[in-house]
């Protein structure tokens, strides 16, 4: 909607004390300004996550300081640390328990790809095998500034989500699943090893 | 996360105030792995009678990352960054313990300035570890946020020092076999001195805030008592052992590094309860500040690296060595067997917090489920080290 208002007219109105906005902008502004993350740390990156929320870096400046211990009250899951195969089913279950709209930040090398522990037999090679990830932050561990940057990227993404039309946000599409199958412990590996609806293995192109 | 009802053997039930014995089923509750106060992904299966813990079974392995196996498959130097990720609060002391055991294995001497730098960094690590532990412990007790903010304010100052020296805030990867990677400049020393000089002010403030607080005393005194006999038999080390009144500090016992050159006292507890364990940390920080002040005065100039050590393609002679230090959480040791190759044949970590955790059930029995979190917080675990 806001795209249809002439910017010059809008700023002119603002100068007169009239603030014009659209439902979509207002709604997205509210959502992005109060993202409640899930209080959930896995490994080393969780300490940097706490440092981000603590006194110096102060995630509260971006509206994200309310860490909720219950997934039912959380909007954002920060997967901070190494995901082992023993832990992966619990993470998918936690994700399933979060209400829509929900977002995932994959923090650190381990959560992205297994990181330095990738060669381990029981380390999951990236949480994006089971749940969709919105923002990836590389680093081992990423600095708090990097997490803040990821948070701002996520806010930018929320700001751009449409409420109506064909390209509306994914969570408004009834066909879009909000829960994903929880992997089970198989004989050798998690079953299935990756969710094909979410994960596409990287293609290696040889020239 | 889930609660299942399970019947156990009828345990000895204490009589209620009315003299009758309560008969009921125990309820088994799974606490963790996603829990705000389990310090990561620790899980406990607790059998409860009402609110009283009758049985507690820890479940490990949610953060098992094959640390030891990776250590056997990488070169000696290649394991150094992995040791940072053991106890991710105290990467400097982990580095030191590993470097010490390799130095023992290969018979490497360390220059004096490097030894002083190691002491300085280890004591700075102790300061930030204990400060953040107290913050977390109070968070577990319900003082949500505020003490942690104070603790992290101080921790950030020390992490700044680590960062300007090693390039990384948490994963320092700073020590090498035969010394340290880079030298600390005079401006670094000045900054460190300033931070150490201002640290007692934080301690005064923190102690005024919490240590005489009525709620803290009510929640911690006489909670989770550990007897000295059990502590010794279970191999408990560090502040947790000294809270029971056992005078055992590896810095004094082994006198590794240059610790015999410093004057410091080892604080001892009396009751072995949670309050004593909490106080141990507060008192140890004061001693660490004293050690740091002495170290800044004594530190000589000179090289920080033994020039004879060939770090790349490093092959220690065949043999075995166990190097141990007093890490902030207790005795941290690395046991290495070499067969003369570039990789260790066997690489074993003596994890501090894992062994300290073995008495958790004994500490928690008979207390309420809310006390379990406080007791667990006072044990000071880091899952990276527990599960490795």
């Amino acid at each position: 909607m806001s795209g249809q208002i002439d910017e010059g007219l809008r700023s002119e109105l603002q100068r007169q004390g009239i603030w014009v906005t659209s439902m979509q902008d207002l709604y997205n502004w509210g959502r992005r300004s109060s993202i409640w993350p899930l209080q959930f740390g896995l490994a080393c990156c969780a300490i940097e996550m706490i440092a981000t929320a603590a006194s110096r870096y102060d995630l509260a400046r971006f509206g994200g300081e309310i860490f909720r211990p219950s997934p039912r009250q959380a909007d954002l899951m920060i997967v901070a640390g190494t995901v082992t195969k023993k832990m992966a089913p619990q993470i998918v279950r936690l994700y399933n328990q979060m209400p829509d709209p929900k977002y995932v930040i994959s923090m650190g090398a381990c959560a992205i790809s297994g990181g330095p522990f990738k060669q381990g037999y029981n380390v999951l090679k990236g949480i994006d095998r089971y749940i969709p990830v919105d923002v990836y932050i590389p680093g081992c561990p990423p600095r708090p500034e990097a997490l803040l940057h990821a948070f701002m990227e996520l806010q930018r993404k929320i700001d751009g989500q449409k409420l109506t039309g064909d390209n509306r946000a994914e969570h408004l599409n009834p066909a879009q699943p909000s829960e994903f199958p929880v992997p089970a412990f198989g004989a050798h590996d998690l079953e299935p090893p990756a969710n094909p609806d979410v994960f596409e293995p990287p293609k290696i192109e040889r020239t | 996360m889930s609660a299942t009802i399970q019947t156990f053997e009828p345990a000895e039930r204490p009589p209620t105030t009315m003299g009758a014995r309560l008969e009921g089923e125990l309820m088994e509750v799974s606490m963790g792995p996603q829990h705000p106060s389990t310090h990561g992904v620790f899980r406990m299966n607790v059998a409860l009678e009402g609110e009283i813990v009758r049985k507690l079974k820890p479940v490990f392995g949610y953060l098992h990352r094959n640390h030891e196996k990776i250590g056997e498959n990488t070169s000696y130097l290649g394991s150094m960054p992995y040791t940072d990720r053991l106890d991710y609060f105290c990467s400097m002391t982990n580095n030191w313990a590993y470097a010490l055991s390799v130095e023992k294995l290969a018979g490497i001497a360390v220059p004096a300035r490097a030894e002083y730098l190691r002491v300085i960094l280890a004591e700075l690590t102790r300061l930030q570890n204990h400060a953040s532990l107290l913050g977390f412990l109070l968070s577990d007790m319900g003082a949500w946020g505020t003490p942690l903010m104070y603790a992290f304010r101080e921790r950030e100052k020390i992490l700044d020092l680590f960062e300007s020296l090693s390039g990384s805030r948490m994963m320092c990867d700073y020590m090498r076999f035969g010394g340290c990677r880079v030298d600390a400049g005079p401006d670094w020393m000045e900054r460190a001195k300033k931070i150490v000089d201002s640290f007692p002010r934080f301690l005064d403030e923190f102690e005024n805030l919490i240590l005489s607080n009525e709620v803290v005393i009510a929640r911690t005194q006489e909670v989770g008592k550990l007897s000295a006999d059990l502590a010794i038999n279970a191999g408990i080390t560090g502040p947790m052992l000294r809270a029971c009144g056992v005078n055992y500090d590896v810095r004094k016992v082994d006198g590794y590094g240059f610790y015999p050159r410093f004057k410091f006292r080892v604080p001892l507890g009396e009751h072995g309860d949670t309050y004593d364990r909490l106080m141990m940390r507060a008192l140890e920080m004061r001693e660490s500040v004293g050690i740091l002040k002495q170290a800044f005065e004594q530190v000589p100039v000179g090289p920080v690296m033994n020039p004879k050590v060939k770090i790349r393609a490093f092959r220690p002679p065949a043999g075995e060595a166990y190097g141990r230090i007093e890490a902030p959480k207790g005795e941290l040791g690395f046991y290495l067997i070499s067969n003369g190759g570039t990789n260790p044949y066997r690489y074993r970590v003596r994890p501090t917090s894992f062994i300290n955790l073995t008495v958790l059930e004994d500490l928690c029995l008979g207390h309420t489920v809310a006390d379990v979190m406080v007791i667990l917080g006072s044990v000071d675990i880091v899952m990276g080290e527990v599960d490795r």
Side-chain angles (χ1 to χ4, degrees):
Chain A
M1 275 283 284
S2 63
Q4 294 163 17
I5 301 174
D6 179 48
E7 277 303 316
L9 176 65
R10 191 162 140 154
S11 62
E12 180 58 36
L13 281 170
Q14 239 167 36
R15 214 169 296 137
Q16 304 293 330
I18 300 167
W19 187 54
V20 182
T21 186
S22 65
M23 195 58 212
Q24 176 181 300
D25 280 2
L26 192 66
Y27 179 69
N28 283 343
W29 169 78
R31 286 201 303 139
R32 76 160 157 79
S33 308
S34 68
I35 300 175
W36 289 12
L38 180 62
Q39 188 183 30
F40 170 56
L42 290 169
C44 337
C45 290
I47 309 300
E48 288 295 63
M49 186 175 79
I50 296 166
T52 313
S55 28
R56 181 186 285 182
Y57 295 98
D58 196 11
L59 194 57
R61 290 178 294 158
F62 302 89
E65 82 279 21
I66 308 182
F67 279 83
R68 304 310 295 183
S70 165
R72 299 285 184 204
Q73 303 164 344
D75 306 313
L76 165 67
M77 176 190 254
I78 302 175
V79 184
T82 314
V83 184
T84 60
K85 285 180 182 164
K86 190 171 180 176
M87 193 63 203
Q90 330 288 340
I91 294 177
V92 179
R93 192 165 286 139
L94 284 170
Y95 180 81
N96 288 347
Q97 287 172 351
M98 283 163 61
D100 264 334
K102 50 192 171 185
Y103 303 93
V104 177
I105 291 178
S106 180
M107 182 180 183
C110 292
I112 294 173
S113 69
F117 300 97
K118 186 167 185 157
Q119 48 184 309
Y121 67 97
N122 63 338
V123 174
L124 190 73
K125 278 93 189 146
I127 190 61
D128 55 358
R129 282 163 193 250
Y130 293 114
I131 55 176
V133 175
D134 294 283
V135 187
Y136 297 86
I137 338 170
C140 189
R143 294 179 56 85
E145 289 93 331
L147 183 57
L148 290 178
H149 183 221
F151 209 80
M152 285 152 70
E153 285 296 322
L154 185 68
Q155 288 183 327
R156 202 164 295 148
K157 176 172 181 169
I158 292 173
D159 252 349
Q161 285 188 327
K162 300 258 187 299
L163 295 186
T164 50
D166 287 339
N167 53 354
R168 61 184 186 269
E170 281 168 357
H171 65 270
L172 297 170
N173 184 358
Q176 178 71 27
S178 82
E179 292 188 9
F180 293 94
V182 178
F185 297 123
H188 303 290
D189 198 355
L190 287 173
E191 300 280 348
N195 183 355
D197 295 340
V198 179
F199 180 64
E200 197 178 322
K203 290 190 186 79
I204 300 169
E205 284 178 17
R206 292 181 200 281
T207 51
Chain B
M1 276 171 35
S2 62
T4 51
I5 293 189
Q6 229 179 358
T7 44
F8 283 90
E9 296 291 316
E12 280 187 23
R13 308 265 166 85
T16 58
T17 46
M18 292 155 76
R21 283 179 181 280
L22 279 177
E23 293 295 334
E25 283 180 325
L26 295 184
M27 185 167 76
E28 188 183 325
V29 180
S30 164
M31 296 172 82
Q34 192 266 329
H35 188 285
S37 299
T38 49
H39 294 239
V41 284
F42 183 55
R43 179 176 161 205
M44 293 166 279
N45 281 335
V46 194
L48 300 174
E49 181 187 358
E51 224 187 333
I52 308 293
V53 176
R54 292 290 174 224
K55 224 175 202 180
L56 188 144
K57 198 174 136 234
V59 183
F60 297 107
Y62 285 96
L63 195 57
H64 175 53
R65 305 193 278 195
N66 324 289
H67 180 87
E68 290 174 4
K69 203 67 200 165
I70 289 175
E72 284 161 21
N73 289 314
T74 21
S75 64
Y76 284 90
L77 179 62
S79 289
M80 189 63 91
Y82 282 101
T83 61
D84 293 336
R85 287 152 183 86
L86 264 181
D87 171 357
Y88 31 79
F89 271 101
C90 324
S91 59
M92 287 290 187
T93 48
N94 297 345
N95 284 175
W96 194 1
Y98 179 58
L100 192 73
S101 52
V102 176
E103 281 155 11
K104 262 192 177 175
L105 189 66
I108 299 170
V110 181
R113 185 173 171 86
E115 290 280 23
Y116 273 104
L117 276 178
R118 284 179 178 190
V119 170
I120 290 169
L121 292 166
E123 295 306 321
L124 284 173
T125 304
R126 202 180 309 278
L127 288 182
Q128 58 102 353
N129 177 73
H130 285 356
S132 34
L133 168 93
L134 292 181
F136 281 124
L137 181 57
L138 286 152
S139 273
D140 294 347
M141 240 177 264
W144 197 245
T146 313
L148 194 67
M149 296 287 169
Y150 280 85
F152 266 66
R153 186 190 64 196
E154 296 307 309
R155 181 173 181 263
E156 290 290 340
K157 292 178 189 166
I158 295 174
L159 290 194
D160 277 354
L161 288 178
F162 288 173
E163 191 184 7
S164 55
L165 191 57
S166 71
S168 180
R169 282 157 50 86
M170 283 167 66
M171 306 301 171
C172 299
D173 182 24
Y174 179 65
M175 310 214 179
R176 289 287 180 267
F177 323 131
C180 299
R181 186 151 52 90
V182 283
D183 196 358
D187 53 332
W188 188 90
M189 286 287 179
E190 284 305 313
R191 278 172 56 205
K193 258 183 224 170
K194 259 185 208 158
I195 286 168
V196 170
D197 285 340
S198 68
F199 203 83
R201 207 183 312 150
F202 157 73
L203 284 176
D204 293 340
E205 180 188 46
F206 209 67
E207 287 180 6
N208 279 337
L209 268 177
I210 58 161
L211 291 179
S212 53
N213 184 304
E214 200 180 327
V215 180
V216 171
I217 288 175
R219 286 296 302 274
T220 54
Q221 284 190 352
E222 298 294 311
V223 170
K225 278 188 97 164
L226 178 63
S227 70
D229 285 343
L230 179 63
I232 292 168
N233 287 340
I236 308 299
T237 47
M240 213 175 148
L241 176 68
R242 294 192 286 274
C244 314
V246 183
N247 189 355
Y248 187 83
D249 187 322
V250 182
R251 288 177 294 179
K252 291 278 189 197
V253 175
D254 273 16
Y256 63 93
F258 275 3
Y259 273 113
R261 298 190 180 192
F262 297 99
K263 265 189 197 155
F264 63 99
R265 293 173 300 170
V266 178
L268 289 182
E270 206 173 318
H271 309 283
D273 58 359
T274 307
Y275 187 74
D276 276 18
R277 288 198 282 278
L278 200 153
M279 280 304 289
M280 265 322 94
R281 268 75 184 219
L283 294 172
E284 273 190 14
M285 280 196 273
R286 300 232 178 238
E287 294 303 317
S288 290
V289 170
I291 296 175
L292 280 165
K293 282 184 177 164
Q294 294 172 47
F296 288 134
E297 278 172 17
Q298 296 175 16
V299 60
V301 286
V304 290
M305 203 49 212
N306 185 340
K308 286 179 191 154
V309 184
K310 208 174 116 205
I311 288 221
R312 292 184 197 280
F314 175 74
R315 287 168 187 269
E320 58 179 60
Y322 177 69
R324 60 175 192 169
I325 65 161
E326 180 76 23
K329 295 177 171 66
E331 176 190 332
L332 174 68
F334 283 82
Y335 176 62
L336 300 168
I337 301 180
S338 158
N339 55 4
T342 51
N343 302 351
Y345 173 74
R346 179 78 175 96
Y347 174 102
R348 158 87 185 146
V349 188
R350 185 214 184 268
T352 314
S353 35
F354 177 60
I355 294 174
N356 286 356
L357 203 52
T358 49
V359 289
L360 184 67
E361 185 175 14
D362 303 274
L363 296 182
C364 292
L365 288 185
H367 289 294
T368 59
V369 69
D371 286 336
V372 172
M373 282 304 136
V374 181
I375 294 168
L376 182 72
S378 74
V379 174
D380 194 7
I381 60 163
V382 163
M383 288 318 285
E385 195 181 50
V386 172
D387 288 340
R388 276 161 291 144

